[in-house]
Amino acid sequence: MLALLLLVFAPAAPAAPSAAEKEASRVLIQTFLKCWESGDAATFASLLHPDLVFGYPGGRMGRDALVSLFSEYRRAKKDIKIYFGDVFISDGKKHCINYQFAATDRASGRRFAVGTGVMCELADGKIIGFREYWDTRIPEAQKQGELPLDEGVVTPWPASVWLRKETIN
């Protein structure tokens, strides 16, 4: 009897997302990220939920601040390129993706390419939670010529430094 009551009153486990649902989430997130490259401010803003929380190393901001940052960043940087890695994990609520963000600073002409991982949450077909994880030292070291770009290779650190034989134990 107790087992029957537990079955009846126990919360149901959430259903696993279908392949189509996962793909739709991946496409939405990648479309959002590609807006940095294309400069498509209208699509960028349209994909953000009004209650968005954007977290990044050292801070967080809401939707309006992120839309403003998008415009400011596009004025300060050029030749922005997004490279997607091969990771996309989704449980239907949280989605993880890896990519590399590369850009050239307009004022100095110096380029950087930093790999990042993102945890993203969607609500009402829009991004409501977006948390980036990247090493803030990398872009500055690349702009100073202290680290290679390794552009187009999606890893947390430049691959030619991070994956050298003498650094692996």
Side-chain angles (χ1 to χ4, degrees):
M1 180 68 160
L2 179 59
L4 180 59
L5 286 174
L6 286 174
L7 284 173
V8 170
F9 291 104
S18 69
E21 290 168 326
K22 285 183 181 182
E23 179 63 9
S25 297
R26 184 191 64 76
V27 167
L28 186 146
I29 295 163
Q30 287 186 338
T31 298
F32 165 74
L33 291 169
K34 279 293 196 175
C35 287
W36 288 100
E37 184 176 301
S38 69
D40 185 348
T43 298
F44 183 85
S46 76
L47 295 174
L48 300 176
H49 192 279
D51 298 327
L52 169 82
V53 175
F54 176 75
Y56 56 94
R60 60 183 356 189
M61 64 180 70
R63 183 192 185 282
D64 293 343
L66 183 57
V67 169
S68 179
L69 174 69
F70 180 85
S71 297
E72 292 168 20
Y73 204 85
R74 294 283 311 163
R75 284 191 295 274
K77 308 294 185 226
K78 65 180 183 174
D79 303 324
I80 296 172
K81 182 75 178 149
I82 303 293
Y83 301 94
F84 293 109
D86 57 1
V87 172
F88 183 76
I89 302 167
S90 174
D91 69 2
K93 292 186 179 206
K94 293 184 179 174
H95 317 279
C96 299
I97 191 168
N98 66 332
Y99 69 98
Q100 184 186 63
F101 186 102
T104 301
D105 184 75
R106 289 183 191 274
S108 70
R110 294 183 177 154
R111 189 149 180 87
F112 66 92
V114 63
T116 181
V118 172
M119 180 161 313
C120 188
E121 296 169 72
L122 306 177
D124 305 321
K126 296 180 184 276
I127 297 169
I128 193 167
F130 197 88
R131 291 183 297 281
E132 281 197 306
Y133 303 92
W134 51 280
D135 189 328
T136 59
R137 299 170 294 175
I138 294 171
E140 291 310 311
Q142 288 173 329
K143 287 189 259 183
Q144 298 304 317
E146 298 166 2
L147 279 176
L149 287 178
D150 292 346
E151 187 169 340
V153 182
V154 182
T155 58
W157 256 67
S160 63
V161 174
W162 185 48
L163 298 175
R164 290 189 325 234
K165 181 179 172 185
E166 66 270 16
T167 64
I168 299 171
N169 59 15

